Amino acid sequence: MTGFITWLEHISTRTTKARAELRRSLAFPPGTYIPAYPYVEPFLRSDPSPWERNALYLTAGLWAMHWRPGQQPGRLSFAKACATHQTLSGSASTEHRFLTVLDADADQLPHRLQQMIAILKPYPLDFVLLLHGLQHWNAEDRVTQQTWAHEFYQQLRTQPLTTTPSTKETTA
């Protein structure tokens, strides 16, 4: 699926129409906004599962929403970007929002991801990894959710805290 994201990046340099159509597609259930078809359908397998199709359309819409000129190399996974945002912003709600994404079912996921991606606009995201995770979202073992949780908490652990909690001990 690296080719899909690379192609989206390529067409975004030639025209803004593709990004606009893909952003607009987020207002509809994934895969139902017809003007987005020319940008996604060529990359679907001949007989995709409904979820596979939804994941590709959702990723394309999120990519278009997050796109900005001159995207930097060194892109972060979704989980690491969430952890970085929490650390740098000091926002207490980031972890809650992240966990809400992890707990989302297939129907809730597009809306919850859209909210988080909007918050992560300043961070360069790796949409190839995001697509890979979404394609496995409904796996029985919840491998994507477990991987993202592990990355999030490992990233929090390795980043310096912006505020240091009080560690005074009382002696009796």
Side-chain angles (χ1 to χ4, degrees):
M1 283 291 127
T2 302
F4 177 60
I5 302 300
T6 301
W7 184 74
L8 289 176
E9 291 172 355
H10 174 72
I11 64 166
S12 72
T13 61
R14 295 185 309 166
T15 179
T16 60
K17 181 181 178 192
R19 285 193 316 272
E21 297 290 10
L22 293 171
R23 269 192 317 271
R24 176 86 174 113
S25 74
L26 290 171
F28 300 86
T32 63
Y33 184 64
I34 293 172
Y37 287 7
Y39 309 109
V40 180
E41 289 297 322
F43 289 90
L44 286 170
R45 293 181 311 133
S46 59
D47 189 26
S49 71
W51 179 251
E52 208 174 0
R53 188 170 192 276
N54 289 353
L56 207 60
Y57 274 95
L58 178 57
T59 301
L62 294 171
W63 171 86
M65 182 181 97
H66 187 269
W67 185 90
R68 61 193 181 279
Q71 292 212 23
Q72 310 155 3
R75 296 178 180 167
L76 298 170
S77 71
F78 173 75
K80 287 181 180 180
C82 289
T84 300
H85 174 72
Q86 179 169 319
T87 300
L88 296 178
S89 71
S91 172
S93 68
T94 303
E95 181 179 20
H96 174 72
R97 288 175 180 264
F98 176 74
L99 292 173
T100 301
V101 169
L102 294 186
D103 195 36
D105 63 25
D107 292 332
Q108 300 166 334
L109 186 61
H111 177 69
R112 291 187 179 170
L113 262 178
Q114 195 172 346
Q115 290 178 322
M116 277 305 292
I117 296 293
I119 292 169
L120 300 176
K121 184 81 173 177
Y123 306 95
L125 295 177
D126 187 330
F127 281 90
V128 173
L129 286 177
L130 182 73
L131 176 57
H132 179 74
L134 291 178
Q135 288 174 324
H136 297 92
W137 191 261
N138 295 321
E140 195 171 304
D141 62 359
R142 299 183 62 110
V143 66
T144 296
Q145 293 87 334
Q146 290 176 18
T147 300
W148 288 5
H150 179 77
E151 286 180 3
F152 178 82
Y153 289 107
Q154 287 297 310
Q155 185 75 10
L156 282 182
R157 199 180 100 199
T158 61
Q159 290 182 346
L161 295 174
T162 55
T163 58
T164 307
S166 175
T167 56
K168 290 183 179 179
E169 294 184 49
T170 56
T171 55

